[in-house]
Amino acid sequence: MIRLFRAAVIAVMLVLPAGLSGVTAAEPAAPIHHDADVRLDPENRLLTVSDVISVSGRQEIRFRLASWLTVERLTLDGRALPVPAGGNVWRTSLPDAGPHRIGLHLQGTVPLMEPAGRGGLGQSGALGPDGGYLFESAGWIPLTGDERASWSLRVEVPASHRAVATGRLGEELIGDTRYSARFTAEDTLDLPALFVGRYAVQERLSGDIRLRTYFYRDDAALSEIYLSDSARYLKRYQFLIGPYPFRDFHVISAPVPVGLGFPSLTYIGRRILPLPFIRTRSL
């Protein structure tokens, strides 16, 4: 009887009409953890995500996804759950407040990158043959509404491209046909933001901080000065404020006219990268 009841509870899967109201916790919930494996095909704008979400201290989990993503497979502690026909906000009941693992396999076509100067900032996720970006708010990774999270993200792209995300850069593999890298973060307020492009990468160390530029090849001549300026600013502000809280700092060339800051990186429009005031004020 207990087994039948538990099986029935596990199978409950509801589509919510809209919005997220957080989680129902039986006790203070531990930070949620995402272990995500991502493949991006910029030419066809295809995104595939396999994410295993580890939770404890709650009796249900709710998450939101981008409307252009499809849930191909859903599991709870390795057991398949039914996948509703539609909707982008989901709720999964959990059998108890102990530790559980929710597995999702997602696939979709990322919105097309809009031409520069025509509302690029209005897109929270966009992709084209030369690259693009996926901000957290795009819902490309399940958004649970948790204030704290940890995550491990492995991303793979064609060898013609490079991918970079917020978080700490770990292992990196450069093959003949594929490129992959892993990024991690512990007890953070943000899920990863992900960037991809036909980038040339240059690197130097400033103490134990790894500095990198991810610039399109036409902009690669600017890499050395951006690395030098980044090292200089890090030393200045560590003296004024205190230790830099990350292990990496990346400057990424954006195909859209933006200047955005994220934990451990900045995303700057390629048209304004050459302007001197960007390095002396904005950087």
Side-chain angles (χ1 to χ4, degrees):
M1 182 67 181
I2 293 175
R3 288 184 179 179
L4 289 174
F5 175 76
R6 175 167 292 191
V9 172
I10 289 175
V12 172
M13 192 67 189
L14 300 176
V15 179
L16 302 183
L20 277 177
S21 60
V23 296
T24 300
E27 57 187 63
I32 198 167
H33 179 76
H34 293 260
D35 189 355
D37 199 307
V38 173
R39 291 174 64 96
L40 270 172
D41 175 2
E43 291 287 345
N44 298 297
R45 309 197 330 270
L46 294 179
L47 171 70
T48 303
V49 179
S50 293
D51 188 16
V52 177
I53 305 172
S54 298
V55 300
S56 63
R58 62 189 78 194
Q59 294 180 332
E60 70 175 22
I61 181 170
R62 303 184 182 196
F63 59 89
R64 176 174 64 83
L65 294 171
S67 59
W68 42 266
L69 273 176
T70 299
V71 180
E72 302 280 340
R73 188 167 60 253
L74 180 66
T75 62
L76 176 58
D77 298 329
R79 180 173 183 162
L81 291 177
V83 178
N88 66 334
V89 181
W90 316 79
R91 184 177 75 214
T92 304
S93 296
L94 303 176
D96 53 55
H100 295 286
R101 291 161 57 89
I102 298 92
L104 296 104
H105 185 77
L106 314 170
Q107 196 167 55
T109 302
V110 182
L112 179 65
M113 175 77 70
E114 296 178 0
R118 291 183 56 191
L121 280 175
Q123 294 177 276
S124 56
L127 194 59
D130 288 333
Y133 58 88
L134 290 165
F135 300 155
E136 174 189 3
S137 58
W140 66 275
I141 193 167
L143 298 175
T144 62
D146 285 73
E147 294 184 355
R148 298 164 56 210
S150 64
W151 47 265
S152 173
L153 170 68
R154 178 187 174 274
V155 56
E156 182 177 303
V157 294
S160 55
H161 291 66
R162 294 292 181 266
V164 55
T166 50
R168 181 178 180 179
L169 173 61
E171 63 187 33
E172 183 176 38
L173 298 174
I174 304 173
D176 293 335
T177 61
R178 309 293 297 177
Y179 167 86
S180 67
R182 184 178 296 278
F183 301 86
T184 59
E186 297 180 3
D187 202 1
T188 179
L189 302 179
D190 305 284
L191 291 179
L194 177 59
F195 309 86
V196 61
R198 297 181 185 271
Y199 294 136
V201 180
Q202 294 194 35
E203 175 181 309
R204 74 161 58 172
L205 291 176
S206 177
D208 60 354
I209 301 169
R210 172 166 38 196
L211 308 177
R212 276 194 173 189
T213 56
Y214 290 78
F215 287 176
Y216 291 98
R217 298 190 183 278
D218 293 346
D219 310 319
L222 297 169
S223 289
E224 190 59 34
I225 192 167
Y226 267 91
L227 291 172
S228 296
D229 285 344
S230 295
R232 181 162 52 88
Y233 291 141
L234 280 170
K235 290 178 181 178
R236 175 194 298 178
Y237 290 110
Q238 287 187 104
F239 175 77
L240 294 173
I241 301 172
Y244 179 65
F246 307 105
R247 296 296 299 272
D248 307 284
F249 180 71
H250 303 147
V251 183
I252 307 171
S253 177
V256 287
V258 298
L260 301 174
F262 297 83
S264 75
L265 63 84
T266 186
Y267 195 49
I268 302 176
R270 62 183 306 187
R271 291 186 179 181
I272 61 174
L273 273 174
L275 302 178
F277 76 87
I278 295 298
R279 297 193 309 273
T280 58
R281 290 187 293 178
S282 301
L283 179 64

